Amino acid sequence: MNAVSGGDGSGGAAEHAHTTAWIASRIRNGIAGGELTPGTKLSEQSLSAALGVSRNTLRQAFTALAEESIVRRIPNRGVFVASPGPEDIREIYRVRRAIEPAAVLWGDITPQKLDTMEAVVQRAQAARDAGSVADMADANQAFHREVVGLTGSGTLGRMMDRVLAEMRLVFYAMSSAPDFHSHYVDRNVLLVRRLRAGENEKAAAELREYLDAAEAELLGHLAGRAAS
Amino acid sequence: MNAVSGGDGSGGAAEHAHTTAWIASRIRNGIAGGELTPGTKLSEQSLSAALGVSRNTLRQAFTALAEESIVRRIPNRGVFVASPGPEDIREIYRVRRAIEPAAVLWGDITPQKLDTMEAVVQRAQAARDAGSVADMADANQAFHREVVGLTGSGTLGRMMDRVLAEMRLVFYAMSSAPDFHSHYVDRNVLLVRRLRAGENEKAAAELREYLDAAEAELLGHLAGRAAS
DNA sequence: AATCTTGGATTGTTCAACAATTTACGGCTT
DNA sequence: AAGCCGTAAATTGTTGAACAATCCAAGATT
């Protein structure tokens, strides 16, 4: 019945001392996959039964997910999958506007990394040409993930993962913005070209404008959707 | 017996639905205060008894703290307060070298924020003149915290809090570096001056050199200490 | 119709147990 | 004495049931 089907017995990669992380990952995937939509309440009783774990360990997974702010915990009310609002979007872009240009400006840029970035961009282009919105969105996110990867910092990388996960929730809330990413694919092409030419400052500046525009567009879409 | 004294009954600000956060905060303070030194094992039985809470809720606090990487959890072995090594230091400075200059370059810099920054710097100077190493270290950290505060992002602010907490653990591991911060107080003065003059690019560049130097010095100290 | 009360459902926390694993200890071999 | 092995004790990971506190959804009251 629940979106997250029962996992007892199957799989079998979860032995001792791993089930909490396993469950957390399970829920994370459920959210990323769209089975658990923003605002959904995650009942302890239902979920623990559905996942075949104790209410106690589920609770522990909840605290981990809450710490990642993938999920919002309201005291005595329960946990809900996060549903970002305008302020959350602004915050997301505050972070991105700081981290991504910094990575471009000061990151450790190697030809190898540029190659993988270019490959990701091409994947996005192919998806756009094929009309596959989901793939394009994925590739686009992967691209920006690669951008902060230029810093070489695992911490920043994980933070970006969190931010992108939150972005996915935003996108879900406005399913009627299919061509949001298509505008920006060309910009990514240009960005890689700039980096190859060593024009990092210019790249960073353009990336910031890019992010400003994306934020404005998102907020506009959201406002339009809220007014309807 | 334990560094974290029993808290049963006393205080009384922890009612229903708050004890987990309370306990986590308690441990956090214990680490920040130096009662819980890096590498210390946090036994579930001892700590739960000392804090007067169930082993289960303590466990929940552990997962939260582990997510903040204040504490390291090794499966089936227990949790230990983190003791950062050279690679951790490099990672810390990868993050700081990205975030802090970004804040200086692109942050929302208001006269008001500059005033509070200047006040913090003066606090550091006063502490230096008074010979109070601890106060100087505190003020110095507060200063850098204010720097990333220029971004206006709560997320980045919290990340910086985490990083600074880890830095404190680093400092603890080498208690014999009392004048580590004193070199840099003057640099902070200069930084504020640069920002007041609107020379943001110069400020960012100098801050990056600053951070490079600090990282090198820390790593040097650590290597020297490891060799002894 | 709006408010109050009541009963059930849900969350937060504790306790006691057990399996899996690590750790400590003693005996054995060399 | 040093090193290895095996068993016992301690510790972690997980479960299940219980209870207090809080929230929620009805029905009763005015």
Side-chain angles (χ1 to χ4, degrees):
Chain A
M1 307 154 175
N2 206 312
V4 176
S5 58
D8 50 2
S10 73
E15 331 243 329
H16 196 253
H18 289 293
T19 73
T20 295
W22 169 265
I23 292 301
S25 158
R26 199 73 190 261
I27 297 175
R28 230 179 272 121
N29 291 342
I31 293 175
E35 294 110 37
L36 261 26
T37 65
T40 304
K41 173 167 183 178
L42 271 43
S43 156
E44 297 189 356
Q45 190 167 348
S46 314
L47 249 192
S48 62
L51 293 169
V53 297
S54 162
R55 196 161 75 87
N56 233 324
T57 58
L58 176 63
R59 223 142 192 307
Q60 224 168 309
F62 277 169
T63 68
L65 294 171
E67 195 68 35
E68 301 174 34
S69 75
I70 286 174
V71 124
R72 198 165 130 69
R73 185 171 231 163
I74 305 178
N76 293 318
R77 303 274 296 268
V79 319
F80 307 79
V81 358
S83 66
E87 178 49 31
D88 296 294
I89 292 180
R90 273 187 284 268
E91 172 64 14
I92 285 176
Y93 277 92
R94 264 189 291 256
V95 172
R96 294 186 61 178
R97 218 165 20 227
I99 288 182
E100 297 194 43
V104 164
L105 244 189
W106 302 306
D108 179 35
I109 301 177
T110 66
Q112 191 181 350
K113 288 182 187 170
L114 286 177
D115 287 345
T116 74
M117 281 173 70
E118 188 145 1
V120 175
V121 171
Q122 286 172 355
R123 212 174 79 209
Q125 284 176 310
R128 180 181 58 182
D129 296 346
S132 171
V133 179
D135 287 351
M136 185 170 63
D138 271 12
N140 216 352
Q141 292 216 343
F143 177 79
H144 288 278
R145 176 56 235 260
E146 287 299 325
V147 168
V148 338
L150 293 174
T151 62
S153 160
T155 307
L156 290 176
R158 254 166 283 141
M159 156 163 278
M160 189 62 179
D161 285 336
R162 259 188 42 194
V163 168
L164 291 178
E166 208 169 348
M167 288 283 293
R168 261 171 263 140
L169 293 179
V170 172
F171 289 143
Y172 192 91
M174 20 175 265
S175 49
S176 72
D179 57 348
F180 173 74
H181 297 90
S182 64
H183 309 202
Y184 300 106
V185 175
D186 297 325
R187 295 246 214 175
N188 293 343
V189 176
L190 186 63
L191 181 59
V192 175
R193 201 169 300 161
R194 279 257 135 86
L195 290 181
R196 274 211 203 279
E199 303 171 334
N200 295 28
E201 287 199 20
K202 197 116 188 152
E206 287 173 355
L207 180 51
R208 277 182 62 81
E209 292 174 19
Y210 175 153
L211 290 170
D212 280 334
E215 177 187 12
E217 189 174 346
L218 266 186
L219 286 174
H221 268 283
L222 201 72
R225 218 141 192 28
S228 70
Chain B
M1 306 158 177
N2 205 313
V4 176
S5 58
D8 50 0
S10 73
E15 332 244 328
H16 198 260
H18 288 293
T19 73
T20 294
W22 170 266
I23 292 301
S25 157
R26 200 70 191 266
I27 297 174
R28 229 179 272 121
N29 290 342
I31 294 175
E35 295 110 36
L36 260 26
T37 64
T40 304
K41 174 168 182 179
L42 271 46
S43 157
E44 297 189 355
Q45 189 166 352
S46 313
L47 249 192
S48 62
L51 293 169
V53 296
S54 162
R55 195 161 76 88
N56 232 325
T57 57
L58 176 62
R59 229 148 184 305
Q60 224 168 306
F62 277 170
T63 69
L65 294 172
E67 194 70 34
E68 301 174 35
S69 74
I70 286 173
V71 125
R72 198 165 129 69
R73 182 171 233 162
I74 304 178
N76 293 318
R77 304 275 295 269
V79 319
F80 307 79
V81 358
S83 67
E87 176 50 31
D88 296 295
I89 292 179
R90 274 187 285 268
E91 171 66 12
I92 285 176
Y93 277 93
R94 266 189 292 257
V95 172
R96 295 187 59 178
R97 217 163 24 223
I99 288 183
E100 296 194 44
V104 164
L105 244 188
W106 303 305
D108 179 36
I109 301 177
T110 66
Q112 192 181 349
K113 289 182 187 169
L114 286 177
D115 286 346
T116 74
M117 282 174 69
E118 187 144 3
V120 175
V121 171
Q122 285 173 356
R123 213 174 77 209
Q125 285 177 309
R128 181 180 58 181
D129 296 346
S132 171
V133 180
D135 287 352
M136 186 171 60
D138 271 12
N140 217 351
Q141 293 217 342
F143 177 79
H144 288 278
R145 176 57 235 261
E146 286 298 325
V147 167
V148 339
L150 293 174
T151 63
S153 160
T155 308
L156 290 176
R158 255 166 284 140
M159 155 163 279
M160 189 61 179
D161 285 336
R162 257 187 44 194
V163 168
L164 291 178
E166 208 170 347
M167 288 283 295
R168 261 171 262 139
L169 293 180
V170 173
F171 289 142
Y172 191 91
M174 21 176 265
S175 49
S176 72
D179 58 349
F180 172 76
H181 296 88
S182 64
H183 310 202
Y184 301 107
V185 175
D186 297 326
R187 295 245 215 176
N188 294 343
V189 176
L190 185 62
L191 181 60
V192 175
R193 202 169 301 161
R194 278 257 134 87
L195 290 181
R196 273 210 204 279
E199 303 172 333
N200 296 28
E201 287 200 19
K202 199 116 187 150
E206 287 172 356
L207 180 51
R208 277 181 61 79
E209 292 174 20
Y210 175 154
L211 290 171
D212 281 334
E215 177 187 13
E217 188 174 347
L218 265 187
L219 286 174
H221 268 283
L222 201 70
R225 220 144 190 27
S228 69

